[in-house]
Amino acid sequence: MIEFRNVTKSYRGARRPAVDDLSLEVYDGEICVFVGPSGCGKTTSMKMVNRLIEPTSGQILLDGKPNTSLDPVELRRGIGYVIQQVGLFPHRTIAENVAVVPKLLRWNSGRIRERVDELLGLVGLDPETYRDRYPAELSGGQQQRVGVARALAVDPPVMLMDEPFGAVDPLARERLQNEFLDIQSRVRKTIIFVTHDIDEAIKMGDRIAVLEEGGVLAQYDTPERLLTEPASEFVASFVGADRAIKRLALTSVRDLELDAPVSAPGTPTISPQTTARDALSILLGSGADRANVAGADGPAGSVSIETIRAMFREPAAQQEESRRG
C-alpha cells in the first residue's frame, strides 16, 4: 500500500504550493489515477513516491515504511517507472533495454534472458522477432510496450506511470490501455497512473484522485462514485456534462437489474460483459426495445432500452437534489 500523509511540496518564490496537504491511500493491487488540469501537481505527487522530488512536509509510506528510510537509488530500483517519452536507449537492443535493472542487480545471463523473453511475451511482442531489434525499428506503440516490460523487469510491487500512452495515436492508445488492463489483471501491481484525460482515468482507475490547481485534492473516489456523486462543482465540471455517457461505458450489463428473458422473434442476445453503452447501440441498431443477456444455460434475463436510459437521468436527478439540499 502507498500512503500519502499530509504531503506538501512548495517551491521558493511560488505563489502557492505545487501540492497542498495531500492525504490518500492506494491499496495493494489497485490502479490509482491522478487527474486534473495542467499544473495541478499530478506528476509532482507521483515523483515524490520514488523521491525524484522530495516533499517539503508530510510523509509517503510504502507498506507502512517512510520512503525516506531507503536509499533513493535502491528505492527506485524497486519501483517500476513508465513515462510518456518511453526513454529507451537507442543504441541498445530491445532485450538490453528490458534488462537494464536486472543487470544492475547482477542477475546471471540465463535468468536475464528468461525474464526478458517472459516479459516481451507478456506485453505482446514475440521474443524471437523483437529481442534483437533496436527502438528505431519499432512503432511508438511497440516502444511503449517495451517501456512497460522494462518497468516490470524485477517484478516491482509498485509502478509509477506518467502519461504512459499520451504520445501514441488514439487507436494505438486504446489498444495499449486494453492490453495493460489485461496485464494488470494477471500481475496485480499497485500503480499510480498520471493522466490529463478524464476518459482515460475512468477507464484505467480503480480509484481516481481529482486534483485542483495548487495541488488540492478535490475528490478521491471510485470511477462510479465520481460520475454519480461529484463532490463539488469543480469535479462535476472537470468530469464533464456527459457523465451519464461515461457511466454507460463503465457499467457492464451484468451490473444492471435484469428483467425476465423474452422470446420475441428477432430479440438480440448480448454477453454479460457487454457495456451498457454497447448494449444501447445494439438495441438501437436492431430496432428491439429489449435484449436477452446470455447465461450458462440460456438467457439469464433481459435488459431494456428504458433501463439503460434511466442511467442518463440519475446524475441529473442527483445534481438537482444536491442543489436543493
Side-chain angles (χ1 to χ4, degrees), residues 78-283:
I79 295 177
Y81 191 40
V82 185
I83 59 175
Q84 179 176 332
Q85 296 82 7
V86 186
L88 300 180
F89 297 108
H91 303 301
R92 295 187 184 183
T93 65
I94 298 310
E96 288 169 339
N97 269 280
V98 175
V100 167
V101 176
K103 284 185 176 178
L104 289 172
L105 297 179
R106 301 184 185 280
W107 289 17
N108 67 57
S109 59
R111 183 183 179 192
I112 289 175
R113 183 181 177 87
E114 183 178 329
R115 183 61 173 161
V116 166
D117 286 358
E118 176 189 1
L119 288 168
L120 289 178
L122 184 67
V123 299
L125 297 174
D126 176 49
E128 291 297 327
T129 303
Y130 292 97
R131 186 192 301 118
D132 297 322
R133 291 189 181 181
Y134 289 87
E137 300 177 77
L138 274 58
S139 69
Q142 289 170 334
Q143 290 183 33
Q144 204 70 60
R145 294 187 203 185
V146 175
V148 171
R150 183 173 62 182
L152 290 167
V154 293
D155 199 22
V158 172
M159 290 183 67
L160 307 178
M161 307 185 74
D162 191 5
E163 298 273 7
F165 311 134
V168 297
D169 66 80
L171 286 177
R173 183 173 186 168
E174 183 175 8
R175 187 164 58 249
L176 286 166
Q177 290 168 346
N178 293 337
E179 289 169 352
F180 185 77
L181 288 173
D182 179 61
I183 292 169
Q184 170 65 355
S185 71
R186 286 175 274 160
V187 300
R188 303 306 302 175
K189 301 299 179 183
T190 305
I191 298 169
I192 292 180
F193 187 110
V194 169
T195 182
H196 67 279
D197 184 342
I198 186 62
D199 292 329
E200 182 168 66
I202 288 167
K203 179 174 182 175
M204 301 299 294
D206 294 296
R207 295 178 186 270
I208 300 172
V210 181
L211 299 174
E212 296 186 55
E213 186 180 354
V216 175
L217 181 63
Q219 187 168 351
Y220 184 49
D221 233 321
T222 63
E224 176 73 13
R225 285 180 61 87
L226 203 69
L227 292 171
T228 58
E229 301 177 44
S232 66
E233 286 297 325
F234 169 80
V235 175
S237 173
F238 188 79
V239 172
D242 60 343
R243 296 201 311 276
I245 296 173
K246 291 184 173 74
R247 189 179 174 212
L248 291 184
L250 182 71
T251 305
S252 297
V253 168
R254 65 186 171 199
D255 299 323
L256 301 177
E257 185 174 344
L258 301 181
D259 300 317
V262 295
S263 56
T267 299
T269 298
I270 58 178
S271 162
Q273 288 77 35
T274 303
T275 66
R277 182 180 65 182
D278 289 344
L280 182 59
S281 295
I282 291 167
L283 286 167

Side-chain angles (χ1 to χ4, degrees), residues 301-315:
S302 68
V303 63
S304 68
I305 286 181
E306 182 55 33
T307 297
I308 297 172
R309 283 177 174 163
M311 296 175 68
F312 284 91
R313 297 192 288 268
E314 287 175 20

